[in-house]
Amino acid sequence: MKTIRHSSNVLVGLLAALAACGGGSNSGVAAVQLQSTNTNPRVGETTHVGATPVDAHGITVQGVVCAFTSNSPGVAAIDATSGAVAALSVGVAVITATCGGKSATVDITVQPNEVTLTIQKQGNGNGAVFANPPGSPNFVPGTSIQITATANSGSIFSAWGGACAGVPSNSPCDLVMNADSTVTATFDLSETFVSNTWSASLGTVTDSIGCRYAISASGVMTLNVVENLNGTMSGTGSTTAHIGIVTVYTPPYDTCTALPFDTSGTGNISGSDASFTASLSSSGGNFSMTFTGTRSGTTITGSATVSQTLRDGSGTAYPTSGTTGSFTATKQ
């Protein structure tokens, strides 16, 4: 019997010692260590907060269940047992993890959701594209931006595409970033050709009192040629034009007076190296020139039809036209 009583005393002493060391109902948790995959999620994203209970020596305490709460679940809601966080609105939420009577906190700062602007350059030319406001390609939804394109020397900015499709190439693109957007900017090579002097006889006109005049035209044409990736040619052109007027018949007892003058024409180029057209005209439409030619290396060769409408003091129109001989334009 003495032996049995002695064993019972030893057992009671052992249980007391275990309780003092953290056994029984005392968890032994001295602190809680937190881990978060992302403390700055954006609205709509998810993240995770993990909690590890440790003892006074930093050793993980096993078998302790942790619970999670958010002081602002409208900003960041957290699953009470898994620690999964859903970012719901812009703001800061304090996440608390409680393990074995000990707690730790971490701030989850929810950022505005963002949309991304992607700018792609294409074509055989070179240039730069800028977005204002500048900086990151990421923007808060609803942000208004303006995109501009500047061609390098020897190139021309020819077209917007993607989210900016339809915007004239000589205008910036104004865009509201409500969703991820891709903008393309096409730069093509531009080359300038200047012709030797062209000339054409436009025939004769006889006015209302019988004065007859011989009409001629001459000038220099400039073509700004763009070679497109698809093999076509485009660009702009211009020409000077001196309209010569010589009196060739004066009726008896009358005086004929007509003075030469200068004009000009501008327009566009279309076609390909093998055959293209430059359609040029004056702002009022009285003068026009249609040049048809081909390009071979650094030389353009062709001829043009030239028209000029003359008017007398009463406004009567006298249309004239003629064709130039073949002439060339050389790359500058």
Side-chain angles (χ1 to χ4, degrees):
M1 294 297 292
K2 290 182 179 180
T3 301
I4 294 174
R5 284 197 298 271
H6 179 72
S7 298
S8 297
N9 290 337
V10 172
L11 179 60
V12 171
L14 179 60
L15 291 174
L18 288 172
C21 293
S25 61
N26 190 338
S27 67
V29 176
V32 177
Q33 297 176 349
L34 298 183
Q35 310 85 36
S36 177
T37 55
N38 181 11
T39 58
N40 295 280
R42 302 196 179 279
V43 173
E45 294 181 341
T46 59
T47 184
H48 181 268
V49 174
T52 303
V54 296
D55 63 16
H57 303 289
I59 299 173
T60 300
V61 178
Q62 302 295 333
V64 177
V65 176
C66 298
F68 300 90
T69 60
S70 170
N71 77 330
S72 186
V75 173
I78 189 165
D79 185 275
T81 56
S82 70
V85 178
L88 302 178
S89 64
V90 176
V92 178
V94 179
I95 301 300
T96 301
T98 302
C99 312
K102 298 295 184 180
S103 298
T105 62
V106 61
D107 288 350
I108 299 295
T109 303
V110 180
Q111 306 291 334
N113 191 14
E114 291 187 339
V115 291
T116 301
L117 172 66
T118 301
I119 295 177
Q120 298 175 340
K121 293 190 291 185
Q122 59 186 26
N124 54 8
N126 297 290
V129 183
F130 304 94
N132 186 30
S136 168
N138 298 320
F139 298 90
V140 175
T143 300
S144 294
I145 62 173
Q146 185 174 82
I147 307 171
T148 56
T150 303
N152 292 349
S153 177
S155 296
I156 185 173
F157 175 64
S158 56
W160 290 111
C164 291
V167 176
S169 60
N170 60 352
S171 299
C173 173
D174 294 312
L175 195 62
V176 178
M177 293 295 296
N178 289 321
D180 291 345
S181 300
T182 298
V183 171
T184 60
T186 301
F187 295 91
D188 292 308
L189 292 177
S190 175
E191 300 170 307
T192 300
F193 292 76
V194 178
S195 76
N196 56 352
T197 300
W198 57 263
S199 62
S201 172
L202 305 186
T204 61
V205 297
T206 302
D207 67 13
S208 58
I209 63 173
C211 295
R212 186 179 303 117
Y213 306 96
I215 314 300
S216 63
S218 61
V220 174
M221 180 182 69
T222 300
L223 299 178
N224 299 307
V225 175
V226 175
E227 293 287 350
N228 302 312
L229 280 178
N230 61 3
T232 62
M233 178 189 292
S234 60
T236 59
S238 63
T239 187
T240 61
H242 175 76
I243 306 301
I245 304 177
V246 176
T247 303
V248 294
Y249 175 74
T250 301
Y253 314 111
D254 280 316
T255 300
C256 299
T257 303
L259 299 176
F261 60 93
D262 293 324
T263 185
S264 62
T266 59
N268 297 316
I269 300 169
S270 62
S272 65
D273 283 353
S275 177
F276 74 93
T277 300
S279 300
L280 315 175
S281 62
S282 61
S283 58
N286 288 326
F287 169 82
S288 66
M289 176 177 178
T290 301
F291 174 83
T292 302
T294 61
R295 174 184 173 174
S296 177
T298 60
T299 302
I300 287 174
T301 303
S303 60
T305 299
V306 180
S307 299
Q308 174 66 52
T309 298
L310 303 172
R311 299 181 186 276
D312 62 19
S314 64
T316 302
Y318 301 91
T320 65
S321 64
T323 303
T324 70
S326 177
F327 65 97
T328 61
T330 305
K331 180 180 175 181
Q332 301 302 291

